[in-house]
Amino acid sequence: MLDISLLGTGGMVPLPNRFLSSMIMRYKKTTILVDCGEGTQVTLKMLGWGFKNIDIICLTHFHADHVAGLPGFLHTMANSGRKEDVVIIGPTGLIEVVQSLLVIARILPFKIIFKEINKDTLLNFGEIDINTTFLEHRIICIAYSFEIKRNGKFHIEKAKQLNIPHNLYNTLQNGNDVEYMGKILRSTDFVGELRKGFKITYCTDSRPVESLVSFAKDSDLFICEGIYADDKKINKAKEYKHMLFSEAATLAKNSNSKELWLTHFSPSLKNPEEFIDVAKFIFENSYVGYDRITKTFKYRED
Amino acid sequence: MLDISLLGTGGMVPLPNRFLSSMIMRYKKTTILVDCGEGTQVTLKMLGWGFKNIDIICLTHFHADHVAGLPGFLHTMANSGRKEDVVIIGPTGLIEVVQSLLVIARILPFKIIFKEINKDTLLNFGEIDINTTFLEHRIICIAYSFEIKRNGKFHIEKAKQLNIPHNLYNTLQNGNDVEYMGKILRSTDFVGELRKGFKITYCTDSRPVESLVSFAKDSDLFICEGIYADDKKINKAKEYKHMLFSEAATLAKNSNSKELWLTHFSPSLKNPEEFIDVAKFIFENSYVGYDRITKTFKYRED
């Protein structure tokens, strides 16, 4: 079971009714935050998922609206009793930027492990793979995809036929061999091939570069910026290196994603939901994100 | 006419229903902000006084809850069209802290003039004097008082007797001599002695040090932290170098201030207004501050 929530959906400046773009996901015991603009800790408090269990913070780039909330956020994590290491991932410049911001949060009770990304990278954290790719923005910026690996199907009928006790099923399913009644039971004899898990792709801020199509390929959820809804704003989108609703929807379609959540709206876009048809016309399963929109992904037992 | 508003009244962490402690004041064309925690730009947007005219930013100290909002705030000032210099005042360490935070707001269209305070100081900005004094907190911290100078009374009857045209009154009242009908009219002949203007004192975070009594003497408004309402929390207040409601009220009384606004409440203090009697018992004119509480001070024409 994978939970996803957009903590904020605004771009550029935090507004009284819209926090800055940020996403949080949790899968089993791992919680990952993507981006941390000013106010992210407040909207997370409203969501109520807690601060103590955040293991990984991914930063897309170092414009203030994506990172200015970090020192306060880490401070609040410290106050929540976090002691374990926290991994912070971000593009080139990460260490300098975070250490500069920490001038006002110098003493933290946990260690920060930096992963500075300077080329497209795959990082593995147990059952979660994090992939990065470089985007086209005014400064260096990366997109993230999160892939949850899923164990193969457990052949329960076979286990029953052999009278293997129930309490050994989990161990075998998780890839461990077991000794039982003097015999070695091999996990591979009871578990099928790895199955497709979930794939979530997160992209702010960028022009719609071609490489995103393969990067986001077959995503269960593609979260993508759409700073403007109106196609007439294409020149402004190009100038500031952002994307229109229609461009995000085209990426969702071409990448064969299952669902699109638009985010990172311009402060001038007061009611983005009024323009959802612009995206739906290209990619039916498009939704306008809003602060703390939440979805739980469950496996279909097939 | 002097306008004052508390942009936030919380301490330590920003909450969904309470911004971090900050004050804004405007007098004629000068606007001054005191402290800038995470979210200060959002509550100022809610207040609606604008970002472009902020000339002076005073920082009390460099704990995150008083300064983490600065890079985003300056960025929004830039987007509002600010071009003129901005003065930033703060205790020793100011330049290092602000320049570190500006790692995410490197290019600003205005110049920052730093005033780093390393001893009790008087700074003059036209009709406004800003005084500082050092406090007793866990790190170096200063209180501010703002004194508005007020010109002497204009002797209108005398001007009328001499048939001086109305359009010269203002010039004379503002201290300028004027040539009229071949004679020099001296301002000092028409204007009385300087009169008492307004005095506003702002103090977060500190233990109630004795020097505050003279520093805040005769304030029209004393804005002071009261992190806890309950006197039983005195040990905690001492440990973290903060003040109780009763300690702030005692300072207000002993300094002969006219009015006290309490601020910087602990997140554990959900409804500070329930405890106002603790302060009123000591100093009747005590009020519990709340986000965007606003007051306009006008001169009584005496």
Side-chain angles (χ1 to χ4, degrees):
Chain A
M1 208 162 82
L2 171 70
D3 299 312
I4 304 270
S5 185
L6 297 189
L7 293 173
T9 52
M12 288 121 100
V13 291
L15 299 176
N17 59 350
R18 194 192 283 161
F19 285 92
L20 288 167
S21 297
S22 175
M23 185 265 269
I24 192 164
M25 56 181 278
R26 57 184 181 189
Y27 179 74
K28 296 186 179 171
K29 289 183 179 166
T30 305
T31 302
I32 301 174
L33 177 76
V34 184
D35 278 349
C36 192
E38 185 173 353
T40 294
Q41 66 166 305
V42 181
T43 172
L44 177 53
K45 195 151 205 138
M46 291 159 90
L47 184 67
W49 287 11
F51 291 84
K52 196 177 172 185
N53 295 319
I54 294 168
D55 307 295
I56 303 168
I57 299 174
C58 302
L59 301 173
T60 58
H61 64 299
F62 306 123
H63 277 149
D65 55 334
H66 292 255
V67 68
L70 193 65
F73 194 97
L74 293 173
H75 209 265
T76 295
M77 283 181 70
N79 287 339
S80 77
R82 176 83 189 184
K83 296 276 191 295
E84 301 81 9
D85 296 353
V86 175
V87 175
I88 303 186
I89 308 170
T92 314
L94 173 72
I95 297 171
E96 185 205 343
V97 169
V98 175
Q99 284 185 338
S100 295
L101 292 176
L102 289 183
V103 68
I104 50 168
R106 276 190 173 124
I107 300 165
L108 294 169
F110 48 80
K111 193 177 153 192
I112 294 174
I113 297 171
F114 290 102
K115 303 275 185 189
E116 195 164 290
I117 305 294
N118 50 31
K119 61 177 195 298
D120 292 355
T121 299
L122 163 63
L123 298 163
N124 171 258
F125 297 90
E127 290 174 77
I128 305 172
D129 278 344
I130 302 182
N131 278 282
T132 68
T133 192
F134 280 83
L135 295 168
E136 185 190 330
H137 193 46
R138 281 167 295 147
I139 60 171
I140 296 172
C141 183
I142 55 181
Y144 290 90
S145 82
F146 305 90
E147 291 191 62
I148 314 285
K149 298 172 191 172
R150 190 182 179 199
N151 288 337
K153 200 173 174 184
F154 186 66
H155 300 314
I156 196 162
E157 291 307 323
K158 187 172 178 180
K160 279 183 182 168
Q161 277 173 5
L162 297 175
N163 289 320
I164 292 167
H166 276 225
N167 61 0
L168 299 181
Y169 286 13
N170 249 341
T171 314
L172 287 165
Q173 185 164 24
N174 287 330
N176 306 297
D177 299 338
V178 176
E179 190 177 334
Y180 173 63
M181 302 278 279
K183 285 178 71 175
I184 300 292
L185 304 176
R186 305 226 173 267
S187 168
T188 48
D189 291 337
F190 295 89
V191 180
E193 288 183 0
L194 278 179
R195 291 170 292 178
K196 185 182 175 303
F198 302 117
K199 178 175 176 179
I200 311 295
T201 303
Y202 188 92
C203 168
T204 64
D205 304 357
S206 184
R207 290 291 302 142
V209 287
E210 185 57 31
S211 57
L212 270 169
V213 173
S214 55
F215 185 74
K217 193 169 171 12
D218 298 331
S219 293
D220 294 278
L221 176 61
F222 179 42
I223 299 162
C224 188
E225 75 139 298
I227 201 161
Y228 305 121
D230 186 346
D231 279 348
K232 291 194 197 99
K233 296 209 169 169
I234 182 66
N235 289 337
K236 220 168 162 187
K238 283 182 177 171
E239 181 184 352
Y240 294 107
K241 304 281 186 190
H242 280 292
M243 238 184 270
L244 304 171
F245 277 25
S246 59
E247 293 174 317
T250 303
L251 285 173
K253 180 185 171 191
N254 293 345
S255 63
N256 195 37
S257 291
K258 289 199 179 67
E259 187 170 337
L260 168 68
W261 285 3
L262 291 158
T263 186
H264 201 273
F265 308 118
S266 162
S268 65
L269 189 52
K270 303 277 186 233
N271 299 303
E273 61 280 3
E274 288 178 7
F275 300 91
I276 187 59
D277 286 346
V278 174
K280 279 192 176 292
F281 181 73
I282 295 164
F283 180 73
E284 175 56 29
N285 217 8
S286 298
Y287 298 88
V288 165
Y290 53 85
D291 290 13
R292 294 174 302 287
I293 178 177
T294 299
K295 180 166 181 166
T296 296
F297 290 82
K298 289 181 186 169
Y299 291 123
R300 268 197 318 173
E301 285 314 318
D302 48 303
Chain B
M1 208 163 81
L2 171 71
D3 299 311
I4 303 270
S5 184
L6 297 188
L7 292 173
T9 52
M12 286 123 101
V13 291
L15 298 176
N17 59 350
R18 195 191 282 161
F19 285 93
L20 289 167
S21 296
S22 174
M23 185 265 268
I24 191 164
M25 57 180 279
R26 56 183 183 188
Y27 179 74
K28 295 185 181 172
K29 289 182 179 169
T30 304
T31 301
I32 301 174
L33 177 76
V34 184
D35 278 349
C36 192
E38 186 174 352
T40 295
Q41 66 167 305
V42 181
T43 172
L44 178 52
K45 193 149 208 140
M46 291 160 88
L47 183 67
W49 289 10
F51 291 83
K52 196 176 171 185
N53 294 320
I54 294 169
D55 307 295
I56 303 168
I57 298 173
C58 302
L59 301 172
T60 58
H61 64 300
F62 305 123
H63 277 150
D65 55 333
H66 292 256
V67 69
L70 192 65
F73 194 96
L74 293 173
H75 209 265
T76 295
M77 283 181 71
N79 287 339
S80 77
R82 176 83 189 184
K83 295 277 190 295
E84 300 80 10
D85 296 353
V86 175
V87 174
I88 302 186
I89 308 170
T92 313
L94 173 73
I95 296 171
E96 186 205 343
V97 168
V98 175
Q99 283 184 339
S100 295
L101 292 176
L102 289 183
V103 68
I104 50 169
R106 276 187 173 127
I107 301 166
L108 294 170
F110 48 79
K111 192 176 153 191
I112 294 175
I113 297 171
F114 291 103
K115 303 276 185 189
E116 193 164 291
I117 304 294
N118 50 30
K119 62 178 195 295
D120 292 356
T121 299
L122 162 63
L123 297 164
N124 172 257
F125 297 90
E127 290 175 76
I128 305 173
D129 278 345
I130 301 181
N131 279 282
T132 68
T133 192
F134 280 82
L135 295 168
E136 185 190 329
H137 192 45
R138 281 167 295 147
I139 60 172
I140 296 172
C141 183
I142 55 181
Y144 290 90
S145 82
F146 304 90
E147 291 191 63
I148 313 286
K149 298 171 190 172
R150 190 182 179 197
N151 288 336
K153 200 172 173 183
F154 185 67
H155 301 315
I156 196 161
E157 292 307 323
K158 186 172 180 183
K160 278 183 183 168
Q161 277 172 5
L162 298 174
N163 289 321
I164 292 168
H166 276 222
N167 62 358
L168 298 182
Y169 285 14
N170 249 341
T171 313
L172 286 165
Q173 185 164 23
N174 288 329
N176 305 296
D177 298 339
V178 176
E179 189 177 334
Y180 173 64
M181 302 278 280
K183 284 179 71 173
I184 300 292
L185 304 176
R186 303 222 175 269
S187 170
T188 48
D189 290 338
F190 295 89
V191 178
E193 287 184 1
L194 278 179
R195 290 171 293 179
K196 186 182 175 304
F198 301 117
K199 179 174 176 180
I200 311 294
T201 302
Y202 188 92
C203 169
T204 64
D205 303 354
S206 185
R207 291 291 303 141
V209 287
E210 184 58 32
S211 57
L212 270 168
V213 172
S214 55
F215 185 74
K217 192 169 171 17
D218 298 331
S219 292
D220 293 277
L221 177 61
F222 180 41
I223 298 163
C224 189
E225 75 138 300
I227 201 160
Y228 306 121
D230 186 346
D231 279 348
K232 292 193 195 99
K233 296 210 170 171
I234 182 66
N235 289 337
K236 222 169 159 185
K238 282 182 177 170
E239 181 184 352
Y240 294 107
K241 303 281 187 192
H242 280 292
M243 238 185 268
L244 304 171
F245 277 26
S246 59
E247 292 174 317
T250 304
L251 285 174
K253 180 183 172 192
N254 293 345
S255 63
N256 194 37
S257 291
K258 289 199 179 65
E259 185 170 338
L260 169 68
W261 285 3
L262 292 158
T263 187
H264 202 272
F265 308 118
S266 163
S268 65
L269 189 53
K270 304 275 186 233
N271 298 304
E273 60 281 2
E274 288 178 7
F275 301 91
I276 187 59
D277 286 346
V278 174
K280 279 191 176 292
F281 181 74
I282 295 162
F283 180 74
E284 173 57 29
N285 217 7
S286 298
Y287 298 89
V288 165
Y290 54 84
D291 291 11
R292 294 174 302 287
I293 178 177
T294 299
K295 181 165 180 166
T296 296
F297 291 82
K298 289 181 187 169
Y299 293 123
R300 268 194 319 173
E301 286 314 320
D302 49 308

